[in-house]
Amino acid sequence: MEHGKHVFRIVILVAVILAVVLLARGFLVPRTYGLYGRYRGANVAQQMDARPVLYAGAAACADCHSDEATKRAAGAHKNVNCEVCHAPLGAHILADGSVVKPPVDRSFTLCARCHRKVAARPAGFPQVDLEQHVNGPVEGKVCLECHDPHSPKP
Amino acid sequence: MSDCHDGCDGGRREFLAGTLKLAGGAVVTVIGGSALASSSSSPTSAPRPGGGAYDWNEHLWAYLIDTTKCIGCGSCARACKAENDVPDGFYRTWIERYVVGSEDSHVDSPNGGMDGFPPVQVGFVANKSFFVPKICNHCRATPCTQVCPVGASYRTKDGAVLVDAESCIGCGYCVQACPYGSRFIHPATHTASKCTWCYHRITKGLKPACVTVCPTQARQFGDLKKEGDPVRAVVEHDRVQILQGHLLTEPQCYYTHLDKEVR
């Protein structure tokens, strides 16, 4: 009987631990954990709505700016999304419907990002040795004074 | 009795503690296992707030990069930063420039390539030079989700590897586990952050922001479950490469015309 008492104590202790573990698990494990796998299932839908869509694509810009869109689609920049130079549509038409004038970077750096002569660019891609092109330092020069970015000519 | 009091009691106490730990562990395992087992019979389409139509069982996304088309303009990295509010100094996608000679090679990525690339001088004879866009490979057998101790990192049914910032404890194991350097600890939230393939866009029928703005179509995004998908056609019928294939992570970001120098 003396030994039976020891076993009884252990059984009670294990039962208490079990209850504590179950209780803690109920509080600590997220409700949708394990719904699809070893993660919180509700997060999938949260990721879908994590943030607003900013980049809408050139087709969306053409809804209002058909002149520029037509011109661009016929030229060498036909595959260049408007938002590459003009910032995303989501920063132009805000969520509340208000319109903000998009930034137009008129500095040479905008054009240089794609067209400055860099050895790593594909050989067939149009590149310009900027200093040679303007016969001197390129800082302060404005490519857009001669080149139309919506329908560029070499 | 008193002679062996210390030794005996200490031994019993240790034994009890060990037993209880084991019992507790077994209970957690059993309950955890049953919870997972019961989940497999529940509906398998992701819950869609607002009754949206996206069904993740119908898609399996893949990314395709043609390195010969990349001009290193950095539009992708800038768009990613704007679309996903990526903090300064961290990159969910970036562009690397390789300058390779027979003696030596040079790799750089100034500000992730976000401001473009200035011409570079190297101290060896360069034979070739090219750009390589980098992004999370959304591996099918990804080490980053395997090491997560709290189940915050996971792969969706449609193939995107995501981080649940609410569950993440910011331990950084996944950052170390990723062989591609695609993850970082967000300086504001102190949780792991990474490319989501713009999950908020692709589940609405749009392309990731980086693909949307790429002016040379060096970056493409497609659906391996969709008939006639251009990316699927290339992955199935052309010769495609992956990064660090020896690690058996099964990347879902495929490359064409990859150089042997690229890791």
Side-chain angles (χ1 to χ4, degrees):
Chain A
M1 279 318 284
E2 215 179 308
H3 297 298
K5 207 172 162 190
H6 285 157
V7 173
F8 181 70
R9 275 186 196 161
I10 289 182
V11 168
I12 288 290
L13 209 55
V14 168
V16 167
I17 299 277
L18 192 72
V20 168
V21 166
L22 280 174
L23 204 66
R25 211 191 125 81
F27 280 112
L28 294 176
V29 176
R31 195 170 291 273
T32 55
Y33 183 87
L35 190 57
Y36 310 118
R38 287 172 192 188
Y39 57 93
R40 199 169 57 87
N43 186 244
V44 178
Q46 284 175 356
Q47 295 272 359
M48 290 179 186
D49 298 319
R51 47 182 60 259
V53 168
L54 291 186
Y55 284 83
C61 307
D63 284 349
C64 297
H65 304 280
S66 55
D67 284 2
E68 284 85 353
T70 313
K71 202 170 163 189
R72 186 192 64 100
H77 277 172
K78 60 178 178 292
N79 288 328
V80 183
N81 186 341
C82 314
E83 294 163 305
V84 171
C85 305
H86 291 288
L89 186 64
H92 173 45
I93 315 282
L94 303 185
D96 60 6
S98 58
V99 179
V100 177
K101 199 170 165 57
V104 180
D105 185 355
R106 294 184 61 83
S107 74
F108 82 96
T109 52
L110 178 80
C111 308
R113 278 204 292 254
C114 293
H115 293 292
R116 179 196 280 269
K117 193 171 176 61
V118 176
R121 296 203 212 277
F125 186 77
Q127 300 169 55
V128 183
D129 187 328
L130 297 178
E131 281 72 18
Q132 198 181 43
H133 186 61
V134 298
N135 291 321
V138 72
E139 271 72 25
K141 299 283 183 190
V142 180
C143 311
L144 305 191
E145 281 176 359
C146 303
H147 302 277
D148 178 359
H150 292 133
S151 181
K153 304 277 185 305
Chain B
M1 189 69 188
S2 62
D3 283 357
C4 80
H5 183 263
D6 288 334
C8 292
D9 205 32
R12 190 198 288 158
R13 198 172 287 154
E14 271 173 31
F15 168 74
L16 268 180
T19 313
L20 289 175
K21 269 183 203 159
L22 269 177
V27 165
V28 170
T29 312
V30 167
I31 295 170
S34 63
L36 284 179
S38 66
S39 74
S40 59
S41 58
S42 59
T44 51
S45 56
R48 188 53 264 199
Y54 184 78
D55 183 358
W56 67 354
N57 293 304
E58 291 172 6
H59 306 278
L60 187 59
W61 304 112
Y63 205 94
L64 180 68
I65 295 174
D66 184 347
T67 56
T68 58
K69 287 184 179 171
C70 181
I71 58 168
C73 64
S75 301
C76 45
R78 281 195 305 282
C80 176
K81 186 183 172 68
E83 181 80 27
N84 296 296
D85 199 16
V86 181
D88 287 341
F90 295 91
Y91 312 95
R92 289 185 175 196
T93 186
W94 66 98
I95 307 103
E96 292 172 1
R97 166 170 54 190
Y98 284 71
V99 184
V100 181
S102 51
E103 300 292 312
D104 205 353
S105 61
H106 165 92
V107 187
D108 66 347
S109 182
N111 195 21
M114 213 174 281
D115 311 317
F117 287 80
V120 68
Q121 295 292 324
V122 290
F124 56 89
V125 180
N127 296 332
K128 55 184 171 183
S129 184
F130 49 86
F131 293 111
V132 181
K134 291 281 187 77
I135 190 170
C136 167
N137 285 267
H138 294 268
C139 307
R140 211 182 328 219
T142 175
C144 58
T145 66
Q146 291 169 34
V147 298
C148 180
V150 293
S153 225
Y154 61 96
R155 184 167 178 266
T156 60
K157 284 217 164 66
D158 46 359
V161 176
L162 303 176
V163 179
D164 177 1
E166 228 171 86
S167 302
C168 178
I169 56 171
C171 68
Y173 286 172
C174 57
V175 178
Q176 292 190 34
C178 175
Y180 306 103
S182 305
R183 289 172 168 250
F184 57 89
I185 298 292
H186 195 289
T189 63
H190 304 294
T191 56
S193 185
K194 67 181 288 297
C195 160
T196 62
W197 269 345
C198 283
Y199 204 66
H200 63 291
R201 295 173 61 89
I202 62 174
T203 51
K204 295 181 181 78
L206 300 164
K207 304 276 184 201
C210 52
V211 176
T212 304
V213 299
C214 180
T216 59
Q217 286 68 54
R219 292 168 177 257
Q220 289 185 70
F221 189 70
D223 188 347
L224 298 183
K225 282 193 178 173
K226 192 174 148 200
E227 290 285 337
D229 185 277
V231 171
R232 174 177 161 171
V234 172
V235 171
E236 283 185 351
H237 301 295
D238 282 358
R239 279 72 174 153
V240 290
Q241 291 142 299
I242 49 172
L243 292 176
Q244 307 201 56
H246 64 285
L247 295 175
L248 308 177
T249 58
E250 297 180 49
Q252 294 306 296
C253 177
Y254 296 91
Y255 284 84
T256 53
H257 306 108
L258 202 60
D259 190 78
K260 68 174 174 58
E261 293 292 324
V262 181
R263 292 288 174 269

